[in-house]
Amino acid sequence: MKKSVIHFCMLAAMLMCTGNIMAQDPNFHIYLSLGQSNMEGNARIEAQDTVDINDRFKVLQAVDCPDLNREKGKWYTAVPPLSRCKTGLTPTDYFGRTLVEKLPDSIKVGVINVAVGGCKIELFDKDNYKEYVSTAPDWLKNMVAEYDGNPYGRLVEMAKIAQKDGVIKGILLHQGESNTGDTLWPKKVKIVYDNILEDLDLEASKTPLLAGEMVHADQGGICASMNKIVATLPETIPNAHIVSSKGCPDAKDNLHFNAEGYRMLGRRYAIKLLNVLRNQANDPVAQKHAPEGFDTVRNGIPKGRIDSIMYRSKTVGTERKAMIYTPPGFSKSKRYPVLYLLHGIGGDEKEWLTHGTPQVIFDNLYADGKLEPMIVVMPNGRAMKNDRVEGNIFSKERVEAFATFENDLLNDLIPFIEKNFKVYKDREHRAISGLSMGGGQTLNFGLGNLDTFAWVGAFSSAPNTKVPQELLPDPEKAKTLELLWISCGDADGLMPFSKRTSDYLRDHDVPHIFYVEPGGHDFEVWKNDLYMFSQLLFKPVDKSILNKYSVLGMPASTNVRRAQYPQILPDSRVIFKTKAPEAKQLQIDLGKKYDMEIDDEGFWTVTTDSISEGFHYYSLLIDGVAVADPASETFYGMGRMASGIEIPFKGDGYYSLKEVPHGDIRINKYFSAASGTWREMYVYTPPGYDNSSEDYPVLYLLHGGGEDQRGWANQGKTNLILDNLIAENKAEPMIIAMLDGNVSSPGGVAGFNENALVAFENELKQGAIPFVEQKYRVKTGAKNRALAGLSMGGLQTLHAGVHNTDMFSHLGVFSSGWFANNDELSGLQYEYMQDNVATINNNLKNFFISMGGPEDIAYKNCQVMMRKFDEMGIEYDYSEYPGGHTWPVWRHDLYNFAQLLFAE
């Protein structure tokens, strides 16, 4: 059974090869295709297009084709042609073939293709098509006649038949060549789309429209200019998605695609659909950014009112100004909630009105029914007698006035508003938000007065924002907020202030929205913030989806310098983006493969599912070849250099870089007497090593298969884990020697056979330990040595450690165990242990065994091994940390194991 990119809960019934299906099957997914010649199919059908077509891919015949033995209104296996009887290859062919390849075997795919070469979109306007056809040339009328003069009607007729058999899941459109230059085309498409939804009783949110580009400019497309208009379609139809034609080869006329172009374009339709469906399944927030025109004045809608007010400020000792917006239909007899909206360091009470047009944004939102009626107060946040924007706005006196405004707001302005306007006076009906300096005030005042505000929205918070520990010393109290919103543009230099606050909130389980959007430190960003934030106010908020709102993510910590992608979204989904304009196919291999989509500039992108915490290897697959992502740091793993990505999570602080004394990682080459070769190890020395004369105990730490001595230093964060533990007095200062465990013996493979394990034991005893004890100031003797390893390194620890308890008093076995079904490997080990139970138990102070839970690939072997130990009476401690066979588990294992070592 293939894995699906989206979740399906029902089993499929068997699909008949031809003829009608007798009962509706929810796992029969149907797609409508319409347009002109490129959707109809203009390229010659080749042999490869007619073979190996899965019978789960069906076409509902839209016209009678006696020569093909097909009747209108019946289902057939989708052997081309899929449109009229003598048409060619179409994108729909490889759209369906790709879907059935990637979807589970329980899913069937059906298509209905009604397209007419050379037509304008007006042909599919059910109310005006007759007028259009009346002036059409005869050749077009002849094609239209095959659909009884009404192609739109035929499409709906066939769709209604199909709905008896399955479920319509989407619409494919390829049209526009005949409408090139028509800026009204998106609106005309919307008329057709809305009619289809109405006539077939479909929901817009569940019916994506996929629109393909004309032959691209990179192929010399003569209608390529239309692609700019096609690109605007999602502004008119929110659930419209554009399929790029970049790189899809065309025919000699530069108008149509050739056969390979149709294959590529069809696959892209399918990949676009699958990604859309996966993203919609993962992401219940339908709107993430303000649409075009959200801040443009609309005629013919009710308008709110802007007024200036004066209030007496005891805090400042003067009369102060503020602006106030009252909503359309404002009534003095009705009670309203209040939003206090703050400006930036260079503004005053009119800054929002001058640059942000909040009244226009609010009026439009009210007209769309998206906003709760509220009063909006825009004060001057510079609480001083001369609060005008004059002189040095960054002077100490003027900056301090922004902090003074807290008292003015709480003790003067809010009481004035509540005395002179009919408003609610409880925290649940009071919100505060602001931009830049006002964003910092919002967090400082809002989180500092949780009994006053229940709604807090900070836009691009400035450096006046208190550090998180001061801002919210008791994070538990912030959980009473109705909504906490923090946003910033991705190109804003003030992003670190927003991010550090969000990270602190995440680590303390405080629900909040961290909204990252395109843009810098300007009103284009802040207007969008106001549009998004205001819609959430004073109504129930689903806190389970707060981490779904962000448009963009934060660049991964594993990216190379200045690389913006991959980006990690707040819900741990990852956006990958890379430029490869000449490639035909790109995928991200992150254990699961994700198909990427190309845009007009040659960038390929995809958003993944939520990825589990910690470190993951990944690769770019370019036309099937696995390569490292040039935007990511590379790590030796999987037996080669691979890209890696670090997914942050609550609880990752134990390996964060902190302001504590730091040790060093040293790279040493040494000549091994055991192998007669030069080898390399990474050595961690604790803080203060070079300035002391003290001797230290040693942990010898081993990597897993496919990795080497770099693993624990780079992927494992060993130095940071130990720096933090030592600083907190949770671990003894120690030296950690990270060895290369890839030691082979003649006829053996490193790590996984008796000879290789013996070879490693010899390397450890005759090469590594002598070098460490000669090079570094270390304590000797078993009580001052520990040995630990993960996976393959765990096997090596079991062998070398158990056989040498006179050399090691501490053993750590992470995600490993003797092979349960390999007596040749494990039999000798158990026999040795059975004969030496007392010695092992007496000599070992710590025998620590840990696993990544049942999903760990070594879990079953380990359970068998521990049962053997129990039978023999071997003493050990066992620990589990969920995460499988991954670095987050092993980092946590080291964190726990290190705390057990070398204490007197």
Side-chain angles (χ1 to χ4, degrees), residues 336-471:
Y336 292 89
V338 184
L339 165 63
Y340 293 87
L341 185 60
L342 311 182
H343 60 81
I345 194 170
D348 57 20
E349 71 277 4
K350 293 183 179 179
E351 184 181 34
W352 269 104
L353 296 173
T354 303
H355 303 289
T357 60
Q359 73 280 21
V360 176
I361 296 171
F362 292 146
D363 290 344
N364 292 341
L365 283 170
Y366 282 122
D368 293 336
K370 293 182 176 180
L371 209 60
E372 288 294 306
M374 69 183 80
I375 290 173
V376 182
V377 179
M378 291 163 275
N380 188 322
R382 191 181 293 101
M384 57 191 301
K385 289 186 177 180
N386 179 9
D387 59 9
R388 297 302 90 192
V389 185
E390 298 173 350
N392 180 9
I393 61 174
F394 297 101
S395 68
K396 183 173 183 291
E397 178 189 25
R398 290 180 174 274
V399 170
E400 288 176 348
F402 280 94
T404 304
F405 180 65
E406 180 174 7
N407 290 329
D408 181 69
L409 174 67
L410 298 175
N411 301 323
D412 301 312
L413 179 56
I414 291 177
F416 174 85
I417 294 295
E418 294 181 351
K419 180 179 179 181
N420 291 277
F421 293 86
K422 193 168 184 179
V423 299
Y424 293 100
K425 298 180 181 180
D426 58 298
R427 66 185 291 273
E428 286 73 23
H429 291 89
R430 202 181 291 124
I432 184 170
S433 67
L435 65 91
S436 193
M437 179 68 83
Q441 288 175 306
T442 293
L443 290 174
N444 294 343
F445 306 165
L447 298 182
N449 297 278
L450 292 168
D451 57 342
T452 302
F453 301 100
W455 310 81
V456 176
F459 313 155
S460 305
S461 299
N464 63 317
T465 309
K466 295 177 181 177
V467 296
Q469 293 78 5
E470 288 182 40
L471 191 64

Side-chain angles (χ1 to χ4, degrees), residues 25 234 391 618 653 730 809:
D25 181 356
Y618 77 93
K730 291 182 177 179
S809 62

